[in-house]
Amino acid sequence: MEQRNWLITGVSTGLGRAFARAALDAGHTVVGTVRSAGDLRAFEESEPGRAHGRILDVTDDRAVFDTVAEVERNVGPLDVVVANAGYGLEGTFEETPLAEVRRQFEVNVFGAMATLQAALPHLRRRRRGHLMAVTSMGGLMAVPGMSAYCASKFALEGALEALGKEVAQFGIHVTAIEPGSFRTDWAGRSMTRAERSVEDYDELFAPIREARQQASGNQLGDPVRAAEAVVHLTTVEQPPAHLLLGSDALRLVGAARRTVDADIRAWEALSLTTDFATGAHL
């Protein structure tokens, strides 16, 4: 396998750590971003000489661009960039404070977009590279009690799909990685939970929250295997625009897309009533 330079945000825990470990095991050089000096030391000591840590807050746009430029100068030209940093926000729509929604978007959407935007000019000049971002099965389907999180992942999905169509002409691939539930701390330490305040949602939401907490640490998805799949993507000539990871993601996203398709078919006649008799077709 050709040795490549990777940049992965959020490598101290979860899928980000698994992605970094798999890339290192495959012989690649990995720059991983973390939030503390202790995590930086631990990452660099995991593979001296090929694991390079950088402390970074992905919501600081200037720091993101400066970090990418510094990595290009001092580590080498980036080949693969994975915008992984993010977190979950649980709560019904009505109970989730808008300040928390904005924070969710700052990290999950704007942090990922800044990472990819900072790297893109370098890849474009070289006419090669692979940009990825971790969205979620929640970027293609939605569940009660995760409105802000799903909204952030749906937004990122749209950005990635448009980006992929823009940069294909430069030989750059773009992939949305869409995991289902994996055995990480996403539903534990990495989950922010809005306070409950409206009793009307108790019957619907209380069992959902309880089930998620009980399943934490016993999810079906294996982060090691997910990471191996992501590394494999970088070896194929035509990687996908979308990669679902896990049987639950396949099942739930498939059901959601069938529901959308059913609505489109059922209401097609009404949709067609809104056109002028003549006009430009996109």
Side-chain angles (χ1 to χ4, degrees):
M1 182 183 297
E2 177 187 353
Q3 188 275 331
R4 295 184 173 94
N5 294 324
W6 289 55
L7 170 66
I8 306 173
T9 60
V11 300
S12 58
T13 61
L15 287 175
R17 179 163 60 188
F19 295 158
R21 186 65 261 167
L24 290 166
D25 288 345
H28 302 303
T29 295
V30 178
V31 179
T33 76
V34 296
R35 295 298 302 275
S36 73
D39 287 339
L40 185 149
R41 286 192 300 272
F43 179 66
E44 293 192 332
E45 290 171 359
S46 70
E47 197 72 45
R50 287 195 295 113
H52 303 270
R54 297 292 186 273
I55 295 176
L56 180 66
D57 176 356
V58 297
T59 68
D60 184 339
D61 296 346
R62 186 69 267 156
V64 171
F65 277 76
D66 288 347
T67 296
V68 170
E70 181 272 324
V71 168
E72 283 271 334
R73 288 192 308 270
N74 296 324
V75 178
L78 291 170
D79 302 294
V80 180
V81 178
V82 184
N84 164 76
Y87 71 100
L89 173 57
E90 181 191 76
T92 68
F93 180 88
E94 187 175 350
E95 293 174 308
T96 305
L98 289 177
E100 292 294 332
V101 177
R102 291 190 177 94
R103 173 64 181 167
Q104 180 84 121
F105 271 68
E106 284 290 338
V107 177
N108 289 5
V109 182
F110 301 123
M113 291 179 71
T115 301
L116 301 181
Q117 198 174 85
L120 180 55
H122 305 283
L123 275 59
R124 175 174 50 78
R125 282 193 291 270
R126 292 190 287 270
R127 292 298 198 263
R128 60 180 173 81
H130 199 159
L131 299 173
M132 304 189 211
V134 178
T135 67
S136 168
M137 64 179 176
L140 296 172
M141 50 78 68
V143 295
M146 298 294 292
S147 59
Y149 177 76
C150 290
S152 73
K153 296 302 188 178
F154 267 74
L156 185 55
E157 286 277 343
L160 293 170
E161 190 157 322
L163 172 61
K165 294 172 181 177
E166 292 170 358
V167 302
Q169 62 182 317
F170 308 129
I172 298 171
H173 303 296
V174 178
T175 299
I177 303 168
E178 296 139 348
S181 57
F182 276 78
R183 204 167 295 182
T184 68
D185 65 356
W186 179 83
R189 187 182 68 84
S190 297
M191 175 75 74
T192 297
R193 291 179 164 85
E195 291 186 13
R196 296 299 320 283
S197 58
V198 182
E199 292 182 357
D200 283 346
Y201 294 110
D202 288 353
E203 184 176 355
L204 170 70
F205 183 52
I208 294 173
R209 172 173 278 183
E210 182 179 356
R212 182 176 292 117
Q213 290 174 321
Q214 289 181 348
S216 181
N218 194 41
Q219 295 93 332
L220 185 63
D222 181 349
V224 173
R225 294 180 181 182
E228 290 170 350
V230 168
V231 172
H232 174 68
L233 282 192
T234 67
T235 70
V236 301
E237 187 173 342
Q238 290 296 329
H242 301 272
L243 179 68
L244 289 166
L245 295 175
S247 59
D248 54 354
L250 286 170
R251 174 174 52 84
L252 293 170
V253 170
R257 294 179 75 83
R258 288 191 291 273
T259 299
V260 172
D261 289 343
D263 276 349
I264 292 171
R265 290 192 300 270
W267 295 95
E268 181 179 6
L270 183 61
S271 299
L272 292 172
T273 66
T274 62
D275 286 357
F276 282 110
T278 60
H281 288 269
L282 296 178

PDB file of all heavy atoms in Angstrom, residues 110-127:
ATOM      1  N   PHE A 110     -19.776  23.435  11.191  1.00  0.00           N
ATOM      2  CA  PHE A 110     -18.775  24.434  10.818  1.00  0.00           C
ATOM      3  C   PHE A 110     -17.356  23.969  11.112  1.00  0.00           C
ATOM      4  O   PHE A 110     -16.420  24.298  10.377  1.00  0.00           O
ATOM      5  CB  PHE A 110     -19.078  25.773  11.503  1.00  0.00           C
ATOM      6  CG  PHE A 110     -20.430  26.318  11.143  1.00  0.00           C
ATOM      7  CD1 PHE A 110     -21.359  26.612  12.124  1.00  0.00           C
ATOM      8  CD2 PHE A 110     -20.791  26.504   9.823  1.00  0.00           C
ATOM      9  CE1 PHE A 110     -22.610  27.094  11.798  1.00  0.00           C
ATOM     10  CE2 PHE A 110     -22.041  26.976   9.480  1.00  0.00           C
ATOM     11  CZ  PHE A 110     -22.959  27.281  10.474  1.00  0.00           C
ATOM     12  N   GLY A 111     -17.180  23.178  12.176  1.00  0.00           N
ATOM     13  CA  GLY A 111     -15.849  22.630  12.447  1.00  0.00           C
ATOM     14  C   GLY A 111     -15.395  21.690  11.351  1.00  0.00           C
ATOM     15  O   GLY A 111     -14.237  21.724  10.910  1.00  0.00           O
ATOM     16  N   ALA A 112     -16.314  20.841  10.898  1.00  0.00           N
ATOM     17  CA  ALA A 112     -15.976  19.918   9.810  1.00  0.00           C
ATOM     18  C   ALA A 112     -15.734  20.680   8.506  1.00  0.00           C
ATOM     19  O   ALA A 112     -14.779  20.385   7.768  1.00  0.00           O
ATOM     20  CB  ALA A 112     -17.097  18.908   9.632  1.00  0.00           C
ATOM     21  N   MET A 113     -16.580  21.659   8.217  1.00  0.00           N
ATOM     22  CA  MET A 113     -16.417  22.420   6.976  1.00  0.00           C
ATOM     23  C   MET A 113     -15.112  23.214   6.979  1.00  0.00           C
ATOM     24  O   MET A 113     -14.425  23.302   5.951  1.00  0.00           O
ATOM     25  CB  MET A 113     -17.615  23.339   6.770  1.00  0.00           C
ATOM     26  CG  MET A 113     -18.908  22.586   6.462  1.00  0.00           C
ATOM     27  SD  MET A 113     -20.351  23.656   6.255  1.00  0.00           S
ATOM     28  CE  MET A 113     -19.980  24.429   4.677  1.00  0.00           C
ATOM     29  N   ALA A 114     -14.738  23.765   8.124  1.00  0.00           N
ATOM     30  CA  ALA A 114     -13.471  24.494   8.210  1.00  0.00           C
ATOM     31  C   ALA A 114     -12.298  23.570   7.942  1.00  0.00           C
ATOM     32  O   ALA A 114     -11.349  23.924   7.226  1.00  0.00           O
ATOM     33  CB  ALA A 114     -13.337  25.154   9.579  1.00  0.00           C
ATOM     34  N   THR A 115     -12.341  22.371   8.509  1.00  0.00           N
ATOM     35  CA  THR A 115     -11.255  21.401   8.312  1.00  0.00           C
ATOM     36  C   THR A 115     -11.085  21.070   6.834  1.00  0.00           C
ATOM     37  O   THR A 115      -9.966  21.082   6.297  1.00  0.00           O
ATOM     38  CB  THR A 115     -11.542  20.123   9.113  1.00  0.00           C
ATOM     39  OG1 THR A 115     -11.655  20.455  10.505  1.00  0.00           O
ATOM     40  CG2 THR A 115     -10.435  19.097   8.926  1.00  0.00           C
ATOM     41  N   LEU A 116     -12.181  20.770   6.163  1.00  0.00           N
ATOM     42  CA  LEU A 116     -12.113  20.397   4.758  1.00  0.00           C
ATOM     43  C   LEU A 116     -11.751  21.594   3.885  1.00  0.00           C
ATOM     44  O   LEU A 116     -10.983  21.470   2.919  1.00  0.00           O
ATOM     45  CB  LEU A 116     -13.451  19.801   4.317  1.00  0.00           C
ATOM     46  CG  LEU A 116     -13.911  18.548   5.079  1.00  0.00           C
ATOM     47  CD1 LEU A 116     -15.232  18.039   4.517  1.00  0.00           C
ATOM     48  CD2 LEU A 116     -12.857  17.450   5.034  1.00  0.00           C
ATOM     49  N   GLN A 117     -12.298  22.750   4.222  1.00  0.00           N
ATOM     50  CA  GLN A 117     -11.996  23.950   3.425  1.00  0.00           C
ATOM     51  C   GLN A 117     -10.531  24.346   3.550  1.00  0.00           C
ATOM     52  O   GLN A 117      -9.911  24.791   2.575  1.00  0.00           O
ATOM     53  CB  GLN A 117     -12.899  25.108   3.863  1.00  0.00           C
ATOM     54  CG  GLN A 117     -12.976  26.244   2.851  1.00  0.00           C
ATOM     55  CD  GLN A 117     -13.976  27.301   3.253  1.00  0.00           C
ATOM     56  OE1 GLN A 117     -13.634  28.204   4.020  1.00  0.00           O
ATOM     57  NE2 GLN A 117     -15.204  27.186   2.779  1.00  0.00           N
ATOM     58  N   ALA A 118      -9.961  24.165   4.729  1.00  0.00           N
ATOM     59  CA  ALA A 118      -8.551  24.500   4.927  1.00  0.00           C
ATOM     60  C   ALA A 118      -7.642  23.590   4.117  1.00  0.00           C
ATOM     61  O   ALA A 118      -6.601  24.014   3.599  1.00  0.00           O
ATOM     62  CB  ALA A 118      -8.201  24.416   6.412  1.00  0.00           C
ATOM     63  N   ALA A 119      -8.022  22.326   3.998  1.00  0.00           N
ATOM     64  CA  ALA A 119      -7.184  21.361   3.278  1.00  0.00           C
ATOM     65  C   ALA A 119      -7.382  21.423   1.769  1.00  0.00           C
ATOM     66  O   ALA A 119      -6.467  21.083   1.002  1.00  0.00           O
ATOM     67  CB  ALA A 119      -7.490  19.945   3.779  1.00  0.00           C
ATOM     68  N   LEU A 120      -8.554  21.834   1.332  1.00  0.00           N
ATOM     69  CA  LEU A 120      -8.910  21.727  -0.078  1.00  0.00           C
ATOM     70  C   LEU A 120      -7.954  22.424  -1.033  1.00  0.00           C
ATOM     71  O   LEU A 120      -7.580  21.832  -2.068  1.00  0.00           O
ATOM     72  CB  LEU A 120     -10.344  22.221  -0.284  1.00  0.00           C
ATOM     73  CG  LEU A 120     -10.876  22.183  -1.716  1.00  0.00           C
ATOM     74  CD1 LEU A 120     -10.750  20.797  -2.321  1.00  0.00           C
ATOM     75  CD2 LEU A 120     -12.335  22.648  -1.743  1.00  0.00           C
ATOM     76  N   PRO A 121      -7.511  23.654  -0.780  1.00  0.00           N
ATOM     77  CA  PRO A 121      -6.618  24.294  -1.752  1.00  0.00           C
ATOM     78  C   PRO A 121      -5.340  23.502  -2.012  1.00  0.00           C
ATOM     79  O   PRO A 121      -4.844  23.467  -3.148  1.00  0.00           O
ATOM     80  CB  PRO A 121      -6.303  25.653  -1.111  1.00  0.00           C
ATOM     81  CG  PRO A 121      -7.451  25.916  -0.198  1.00  0.00           C
ATOM     82  CD  PRO A 121      -7.849  24.573   0.327  1.00  0.00           C
ATOM     83  N   HIS A 122      -4.822  22.856  -0.981  1.00  0.00           N
ATOM     84  CA  HIS A 122      -3.598  22.067  -1.139  1.00  0.00           C
ATOM     85  C   HIS A 122      -3.865  20.841  -2.014  1.00  0.00           C
ATOM     86  O   HIS A 122      -3.069  20.520  -2.911  1.00  0.00           O
ATOM     87  CB  HIS A 122      -3.078  21.643   0.233  1.00  0.00           C
ATOM     88  CG  HIS A 122      -2.856  22.781   1.178  1.00  0.00           C
ATOM     89  ND1 HIS A 122      -1.759  23.619   1.079  1.00  0.00           N
ATOM     90  CD2 HIS A 122      -3.589  23.240   2.230  1.00  0.00           C
ATOM     91  CE1 HIS A 122      -1.818  24.531   2.038  1.00  0.00           C
ATOM     92  NE2 HIS A 122      -2.920  24.319   2.743  1.00  0.00           N
ATOM     93  N   LEU A 123      -4.970  20.164  -1.755  1.00  0.00           N
ATOM     94  CA  LEU A 123      -5.310  18.994  -2.560  1.00  0.00           C
ATOM     95  C   LEU A 123      -5.645  19.400  -3.998  1.00  0.00           C
ATOM     96  O   LEU A 123      -5.285  18.702  -4.951  1.00  0.00           O
ATOM     97  CB  LEU A 123      -6.489  18.236  -1.932  1.00  0.00           C
ATOM     98  CG  LEU A 123      -6.164  17.220  -0.830  1.00  0.00           C
ATOM     99  CD1 LEU A 123      -5.458  17.856   0.350  1.00  0.00           C
ATOM    100  CD2 LEU A 123      -7.436  16.500  -0.366  1.00  0.00           C
ATOM    101  N   ARG A 124      -6.329  20.513  -4.147  1.00  0.00           N
ATOM    102  CA  ARG A 124      -6.705  20.965  -5.496  1.00  0.00           C
ATOM    103  C   ARG A 124      -5.477  21.275  -6.333  1.00  0.00           C
ATOM    104  O   ARG A 124      -5.415  20.917  -7.520  1.00  0.00           O
ATOM    105  CB  ARG A 124      -7.618  22.193  -5.398  1.00  0.00           C
ATOM    106  CG  ARG A 124      -7.977  22.807  -6.749  1.00  0.00           C
ATOM    107  CD  ARG A 124      -8.997  23.921  -6.612  1.00  0.00           C
ATOM    108  NE  ARG A 124      -8.635  24.893  -5.596  1.00  0.00           N
ATOM    109  CZ  ARG A 124      -7.721  25.861  -5.760  1.00  0.00           C
ATOM    110  NH1 ARG A 124      -7.051  25.972  -6.905  1.00  0.00           N
ATOM    111  NH2 ARG A 124      -7.459  26.722  -4.778  1.00  0.00           N
ATOM    112  N   ARG A 125      -4.484  21.917  -5.722  1.00  0.00           N
ATOM    113  CA  ARG A 125      -3.264  22.228  -6.477  1.00  0.00           C
ATOM    114  C   ARG A 125      -2.550  20.950  -6.914  1.00  0.00           C
ATOM    115  O   ARG A 125      -1.949  20.905  -7.999  1.00  0.00           O
ATOM    116  CB  ARG A 125      -2.330  23.100  -5.633  1.00  0.00           C
ATOM    117  CG  ARG A 125      -2.739  24.561  -5.578  1.00  0.00           C
ATOM    118  CD  ARG A 125      -1.624  25.418  -5.008  1.00  0.00           C
ATOM    119  NE  ARG A 125      -1.402  25.149  -3.587  1.00  0.00           N
ATOM    120  CZ  ARG A 125      -2.033  25.789  -2.606  1.00  0.00           C
ATOM    121  NH1 ARG A 125      -2.936  26.718  -2.889  1.00  0.00           N
ATOM    122  NH2 ARG A 125      -1.767  25.518  -1.335  1.00  0.00           N
ATOM    123  N   ARG A 126      -2.619  19.918  -6.089  1.00  0.00           N
ATOM    124  CA  ARG A 126      -1.960  18.648  -6.433  1.00  0.00           C
ATOM    125  C   ARG A 126      -2.822  17.742  -7.303  1.00  0.00           C
ATOM    126  O   ARG A 126      -2.371  16.707  -7.783  1.00  0.00           O
ATOM    127  CB  ARG A 126      -1.564  17.915  -5.144  1.00  0.00           C
ATOM    128  CG  ARG A 126      -0.467  18.623  -4.356  1.00  0.00           C
ATOM    129  CD  ARG A 126       0.065  17.769  -3.237  1.00  0.00           C
ATOM    130  NE  ARG A 126      -0.836  17.630  -2.107  1.00  0.00           N
ATOM    131  CZ  ARG A 126      -0.877  18.444  -1.044  1.00  0.00           C
ATOM    132  NH1 ARG A 126      -0.049  19.477  -0.987  1.00  0.00           N
ATOM    133  NH2 ARG A 126      -1.719  18.233  -0.052  1.00  0.00           N
ATOM    134  N   ARG A 127      -4.100  18.127  -7.478  1.00  0.00           N
ATOM    135  CA  ARG A 127      -5.049  17.372  -8.299  1.00  0.00           C
ATOM    136  C   ARG A 127      -5.216  15.930  -7.815  1.00  0.00           C
ATOM    137  O   ARG A 127      -5.332  14.996  -8.578  1.00  0.00           O
ATOM    138  CB  ARG A 127      -4.621  17.382  -9.776  1.00  0.00           C
ATOM    139  CG  ARG A 127      -4.725  18.750 -10.458  1.00  0.00           C
ATOM    140  CD  ARG A 127      -6.174  19.204 -10.449  1.00  0.00           C
ATOM    141  NE  ARG A 127      -6.459  20.273 -11.409  1.00  0.00           N
ATOM    142  CZ  ARG A 127      -6.495  21.596 -11.134  1.00  0.00           C
ATOM    143  NH1 ARG A 127      -6.176  21.994  -9.896  1.00  0.00           N
ATOM    144  NH2 ARG A 127      -6.811  22.459 -12.051  1.00  0.00           N
TER     145      ARG A 127
END
